Amino acid sequence: MKRFVFISRNYKHPGCGGGRARTDIEMVMERMGYENIGLRRTTSGNGIVHSLRNLWSTLHAIGKMRKGDVVVIQYQMKMYGRICRAAHRRGAKVICLIHDLDSWRDKKLTPEQEMPLLNMADVLLTHNHAMRRWLTEHGCTTPMVDYEIMDYAPNGSLADMTLRGSETRFKEVAMRMAFAIRQCHELGFIHRDIKGAAA
């Protein structure tokens, strides 16, 4: 039986920036019936606790992967390559939702170093067509689906949107994300015409 699963983590700052986006997506996946195969989501600003908790959650999740699973990974994530290899060894598929790229943000990796990592996934969920084009131009060959709701969306930055106090707007954004993920699953991971505007 096919399971849709994800790996929860410890978040240092769950109320802002990347921590907020990641926890929001985890909550949407939980509401859609996805199973967390890692440890439960926690918050701790302590660096040692953060690192150990995420290591243990990842190892725990790898041990629970099964043939036929669809594993959703939020990128960037330590042990990303190990998770992809383990999933494929066990007969699972990997969907990678990209929040940011190391080659853009921290410049820890060059595009030439990062593309082989991204090519380990079976499908990438990208911000929009511009990100998809950039990834393709830099050697990414993995099928991609645009979800068009993050800070690279053509209608402005998600940071410019006022979601606080607007439950309706927040639900709209969360549902568009959930729709993109579900369509990716239902369409065999290779459909390229999904756009936030179609949600």
Side-chain angles (χ1 to χ4, degrees):
M1 184 171 128
K2 185 184 287 191
R3 292 187 307 169
F4 295 98
V5 300
F6 67 97
I7 303 169
S8 194
R9 306 170 42 85
N10 177 78
Y11 294 100
K12 287 184 179 179
H13 308 288
C16 60
R20 175 67 185 261
R22 290 170 188 269
T23 56
D24 287 351
I25 288 169
E26 282 188 18
M27 288 187 291
V28 168
M29 287 191 288
E30 287 168 349
R31 287 184 193 131
M32 291 178 63
Y34 289 46
E35 181 183 339
N36 173 22
I37 57 172
L39 302 179
R40 68 178 174 79
R41 182 175 46 249
T42 57
T43 59
S44 173
N46 180 300
I48 294 171
V49 170
H50 175 76
S51 295
L52 291 174
R53 180 79 181 181
N54 288 339
L55 172 64
W56 183 247
S57 187
T58 300
L59 295 174
H60 185 263
I62 288 172
K64 292 181 75 177
M65 288 178 190
R66 300 191 306 228
K67 182 175 183 169
D69 281 352
V70 177
V71 182
V72 179
I73 300 174
Q74 297 192 64
Y75 187 84
Q76 304 149 313
M77 175 182 229
K78 288 189 177 166
M79 297 181 67
Y80 170 83
R82 181 171 288 177
I83 295 166
C84 290
R85 284 189 295 275
H88 290 137
R89 271 195 312 272
R90 293 171 186 261
K93 299 284 187 185
V94 176
I95 295 176
C96 174
L97 186 154
I98 300 174
H99 286 278
D100 207 347
L101 298 169
D102 276 323
S103 54
W104 287 4
R105 188 180 71 173
D106 299 328
K107 311 266 190 242
K108 290 179 181 175
L109 299 174
T110 65
E112 294 76 23
Q113 294 169 314
E114 195 160 29
M115 292 313 113
L117 291 172
L118 294 173
N119 282 331
M120 295 175 84
D122 296 288
V123 171
L124 298 175
L125 297 179
T126 59
H127 289 257
N128 61 23
H129 67 282
M131 177 185 262
R132 180 170 26 98
R133 183 175 51 242
W134 187 91
L135 289 168
T136 301
E137 288 170 356
H138 286 84
C140 188
T141 57
T142 299
M144 295 176 242
V145 176
D146 304 334
Y147 56 90
E148 303 226 11
I149 62 168
M150 298 303 239
D151 53 346
Y152 300 105
N155 294 329
S157 169
L158 187 58
D160 297 334
M161 289 183 187
T162 305
L163 295 177
R164 191 172 308 239
S166 175
E167 187 175 338
T168 302
R169 182 68 179 136
F170 175 78
K171 285 179 182 176
E172 177 189 334
V173 170
M175 290 309 296
R176 287 173 70 186
M177 181 82 234
F179 177 81
I181 293 170
R182 173 161 284 166
Q183 289 299 308
C184 186
H185 296 167
E186 291 176 356
L187 298 170
F189 314 124
I190 59 172
H191 199 278
R192 293 177 178 240
D193 294 324
I194 299 168
K195 296 176 182 62

